Amino acid sequence: MARTIIDIHILQSVPPSNLNRDDTGAPKSAVYGGVRRARVSSQAWKRATRQAFNELLPSSELGVRTKKVAEALATRIQALDPSLERGIAIDLAAEMMRVATGSKLEVPKRKEKGQAADGEAAAPESSYLMFLSSRQLDALAELGLKGGPGGDLQALKDFFKIRENKVLARQAVDTRHSVDIALFGRMVADSADLNVDAATQVAHAIGVHQSEIESDYFTAVDDKNTEAESGAGMIGSIDFNSATLYRYAAVDVNELQKNLGPSLRDEEQPATKATERAVGAFLEAFITSLPTGKINTFGNHTLPAVVIVKLRTRRPISFVGAFEEPVRQGREGGFLESSCDRLARYIPHLERQYGVEDPSRSWVFRVGAETDALADLGAEVTLAQLVKGVEDAVAQSLVSSA
């Protein structure tokens, strides 16, 4: 069966900034092609993409990734039975999570001392981040109250002594995955059978040219100082860099559809509709999102100058090789125009040599005269047209391969 894979290639210039810091506070970097480049980790951009989903999709189609799963589930339980005290709801939630995921939940040591201070016991937490969809939490809350009506914890424990009820708890967290879980996957360390393979791969964004880390030495003045008092109230330094970045992501549409299953389907709509919407949301979120590291300090709110999207049927293909030799600065400064020239030469040659060219399934979104070299690489579109065009092509591919 032919696969449907979406390749997304982006060129984006970012001014002085510190989008993604390492353990020393400096912008992350990497050596590629023998020179040091700016780098933004895939984790940072995936996080920014997930946050952007909040403006594009209803909360019912999204998930939450947290150690505080007992608190999150307790909130759902109390919504169903407002008569329950918080502590009782948390006890029910913790038992539900232990049964459903096999995880061990404990009160963190950092919170143990503060239990008596506010008069309420701290909620137990998982030892690692757990990713659950809104609908999975709802299903667990309903099952918890069914097994422990009125907040009866012992009744809930007896309820799960029956094997069929344990199976129901496992099913509650292994079905109805949210869009973000379906796209980015999930790992449950204590129950590998609950893992979800990611449908999306996101590369580390990397500068197309050599980039040095600079340092901004700053001072802050104490507003209450008089003219007789010299010196700063505070001094410090912030590391930063600037770069034109090549960003890349690939979406395995077939894996995405499998992960979503029937979870978000509407009875009156085609089975492919949930996958189409997930693809459209990811495209818009990934293209327009930006990690927020030191954003208040640098205000580096840029958008991509180039987006190239291609549909493939065999495997994803990155074009980062076009920049293995670092791009040189143009005669009048800047790296964007030279980067576009590189891609305009590299892409047709690579696709022709491997026999994977397909102009009818290629889209180009670009801004500015510096990007003119890419005009013939696919259908020229606006962002809205790009998202709609890919959604339609994905729907057609899924229907034809069904």
Side-chain angles (χ1 to χ4, degrees), residues 4-9 248-251 253 283 307-313 315-317 319 343 347-348 350-351 356-364 376-379 386 390 393-394:
T4 302
I5 296 168
I6 304 171
D7 278 342
I8 306 161
H9 313 268
Y248 171 74
V251 181
V253 177
L283 276 172
V307 181
I308 300 171
V309 176
K310 290 179 172 284
L311 255 61
R312 304 198 184 278
T313 57
R315 53 153 291 176
I317 300 173
F319 296 144
L343 282 177
I347 294 173
L350 180 145
E351 292 188 332
V356 294
E357 66 268 51
D358 188 353
S360 67
R361 287 154 62 97
S362 300
W363 296 264
V364 176
D376 297 329
L377 291 185
L386 170 65
V390 176
V394 162

Side-chain angles (χ1 to χ4, degrees), residues 264-334:
L264 303 176
R265 292 182 188 167
D266 188 318
E267 294 291 339
E268 299 178 358
Q269 293 178 330
T272 60
K273 193 63 180 179
T275 307
E276 289 176 55
R277 293 180 64 241
V279 164
F282 176 77
L283 276 172
E284 185 168 350
F286 181 65
I287 290 168
T288 60
S289 63
L290 192 69
T292 56
K294 293 292 182 182
I295 197 76
N296 291 337
T297 300
F298 293 101
N300 45 273
H301 296 282
T302 66
L303 287 167
V306 172
V307 181
I308 300 171
V309 176
K310 290 179 172 284
L311 255 61
R312 304 198 184 278
T313 57
R314 290 184 60 190
R315 53 153 291 176
I317 300 173
S318 169
F319 296 144
V320 70
F323 309 113
E324 193 269 343
E325 179 184 341
V327 173
R328 297 183 184 278
Q329 185 177 321
R331 272 182 284 178
E332 297 183 10

Side-chain angles (χ1 to χ4, degrees), residues 20 34 47 69 151 168 200:
N20 186 209
R47 167 71 173 166
V69 285
L168 289 176
T200 302

Side-chain angles (χ1 to χ4, degrees), residues 51-360:
Q51 289 178 310
F53 283 155
N54 293 324
E55 299 178 2
L56 300 171
L57 294 169
S59 59
S60 62
E61 296 185 19
L62 297 174
V64 59
R65 189 177 64 172
T66 180
K67 293 181 178 181
K68 301 174 183 178
V69 285
E71 288 187 34
L73 181 54
T75 298
R76 305 295 178 112
I77 291 173
Q78 284 187 294
L80 293 176
D81 186 352
S83 67
L84 292 184
E85 295 180 2
R86 184 66 174 173
I88 293 174
I90 286 177
D91 288 342
L92 287 179
E95 183 63 22
M96 282 296 308
M97 294 309 304
R98 291 187 186 103
V99 173
T101 67
S103 302
K104 185 178 181 181
L105 277 68
E106 295 180 330
V107 176
K109 291 183 178 179
R110 69 182 188 279
K111 291 187 175 182
E112 286 179 349
K113 294 181 179 178
Q115 288 187 49
D118 57 11
E120 187 173 302
E125 297 180 8
S126 169
S127 59
Y128 54 90
L129 294 170
M130 296 188 67
F131 207 174
L132 295 169
S133 76
S134 176
R135 299 188 185 204
Q136 287 167 351
L137 287 170
D138 287 340
L140 287 171
E142 291 175 7
L143 188 61
L145 286 174
K146 178 182 178 182
D152 190 333
L153 181 60
Q154 186 57 53
L156 183 64
K157 291 180 178 180
D158 293 339
F159 178 74
F160 284 127
K161 290 179 181 178
I162 301 172
R163 183 179 180 279
E164 288 77 7
N165 293 334
K166 283 187 178 181
V167 171
L168 289 176
R170 302 282 285 191
Q171 288 177 341
V173 296
D174 200 27
T175 55
R176 310 182 82 187
H177 297 308
S178 58
V179 169
D180 40 5
I181 291 176
L183 283 164
F184 298 119
R186 177 179 74 185
M187 186 191 76
V188 181
D190 300 295
S191 299
D193 59 312
L194 298 179
N195 291 350
V196 178
D197 292 333
T200 302
Q201 298 174 353
V202 178
H204 290 235
I206 190 168
V208 301
H209 54 85
Q210 185 171 2
S211 183
E212 301 297 334
I213 295 176
E214 302 179 70
S215 184
D216 174 36
Y217 171 82
F218 66 87
T219 64
V221 177
D222 190 324
D223 289 345
K224 289 294 185 178
N225 275 2
T226 65
E227 292 184 3
E229 296 175 283
S230 61
M234 174 185 173
I235 60 174
S237 63
I238 299 176
D239 291 334
F240 66 91
N241 61 5
S242 61
T244 295
L245 300 171
Y246 171 74
R247 298 169 50 201
Y248 171 74
V251 181
D252 186 327
V253 177
N254 304 94
E255 186 71 21
L256 174 60
Q257 186 177 38
K258 185 186 80 172
N259 287 349
L260 285 173
S263 59
L264 303 176
R265 292 182 188 167
D266 188 318
E267 294 291 339
E268 299 178 358
Q269 293 178 330
T272 60
K273 193 63 180 179
T275 307
E276 289 176 55
R277 293 180 64 241
V279 164
F282 176 77
L283 276 172
E284 185 168 350
F286 181 65
I287 290 168
T288 60
S289 63
L290 192 69
T292 56
K294 293 292 182 182
I295 197 76
N296 291 337
T297 300
F298 293 101
N300 45 273
H301 296 282
T302 66
L303 287 167
V306 172
V307 181
I308 300 171
V309 176
K310 290 179 172 284
L311 255 61
R312 304 198 184 278
T313 57
R314 290 184 60 190
R315 53 153 291 176
I317 300 173
S318 169
F319 296 144
V320 70
F323 309 113
E324 193 269 343
E325 179 184 341
V327 173
R328 297 183 184 278
Q329 185 177 321
R331 272 182 284 178
E332 297 183 10
F335 297 95
L336 180 59
E337 187 170 7
S338 297
S339 300
C340 291
D341 290 340
R342 284 278 188 90
L343 282 177
R345 294 194 305 271
Y346 183 85
I347 294 173
H349 186 66
L350 180 145
E351 292 188 332
R352 185 170 57 251
Q353 292 297 99
Y354 282 94
V356 294
E357 66 268 51
D358 188 353
S360 67

